[in-house]
Amino acid sequence: MIVSTRGRYALHVMIALAERPAGEFVPLKEIAEEQSIPHKYTEAIMTALVKSGLIEGSRGKNGGYRLCRKPEEYTAAEILRVTENSISAVSCTEHGSSCPQAHSCPTLPMWRALDQTVNDFLSRYTLADLVCK
């Protein structure tokens, strides 16, 4: 698994929101500039994060984006699942896939164990852990 730029940026955006006082809406333009992420790219990431329910958006003069939960209630794994097509090491272990060779594949247990290790690792890190102190 290679985490894409989109996934890395999503983590940065979520950290930027977590660093703000609880409940404060942050304008998209401000986040994009602070994180040095192109505006359109930030917009696409925010849309995905809103659609998944991780953040909420508000329009208008005092609008922007904010977290829906406390930073310690988000994990890196959860955020990356929104922006990455998959965090599986190989396609045959992705959720919902069915490999015709699964019953006889000698490497499948290894790939499943790797996926579990990666998921466990990323799940240990909360957004609160990633906030710059």
Side-chain angles (χ1 to χ4, degrees):
M1 173 191 85
I2 295 178
V3 176
S4 70
T5 302
R6 183 178 166 102
R8 292 192 316 268
Y9 284 168
L11 285 169
H12 285 268
V13 163
M14 293 293 286
I15 291 166
L17 293 175
E19 290 175 330
R20 303 303 169 102
E24 180 181 310
F25 282 99
V26 184
L28 182 127
K29 182 179 179 181
E30 191 174 314
I31 294 168
E33 288 175 2
E34 283 179 7
Q35 299 301 314
S36 301
I37 304 171
H39 186 271
K40 285 286 190 191
Y41 209 179
T42 307
E43 198 171 75
I45 290 168
M46 295 309 222
T47 299
L49 293 171
V50 168
K51 187 175 178 180
S52 72
L54 295 183
I55 64 172
E56 66 178 317
S58 175
R59 296 178 187 251
K61 183 178 179 185
N62 295 318
Y65 296 90
R66 69 180 178 190
L67 299 178
C68 292
R69 307 185 311 246
K70 296 176 183 174
E72 54 272 9
E73 296 175 0
Y74 293 90
T75 67
E78 174 183 31
I79 297 163
L80 290 173
R81 274 191 213 97
V82 169
T83 56
E84 300 300 310
N85 290 331
S86 172
I87 58 172
S88 295
V90 293
S91 62
C92 62
T93 61
E94 291 176 348
H95 180 69
S97 72
S98 59
C99 176
Q101 304 301 320
H103 67 282
S104 63
C105 179
T107 61
L108 187 57
M110 176 186 69
W111 296 127
R112 286 184 175 152
L114 177 60
D115 285 354
Q116 188 63 50
T117 300
V118 169
N119 186 62
D120 291 348
F121 177 83
L122 292 172
S123 294
R124 281 197 311 256
Y125 288 89
T126 68
L127 196 51
D129 295 329
L130 300 175
V131 171
C132 296
K133 306 287 185 222

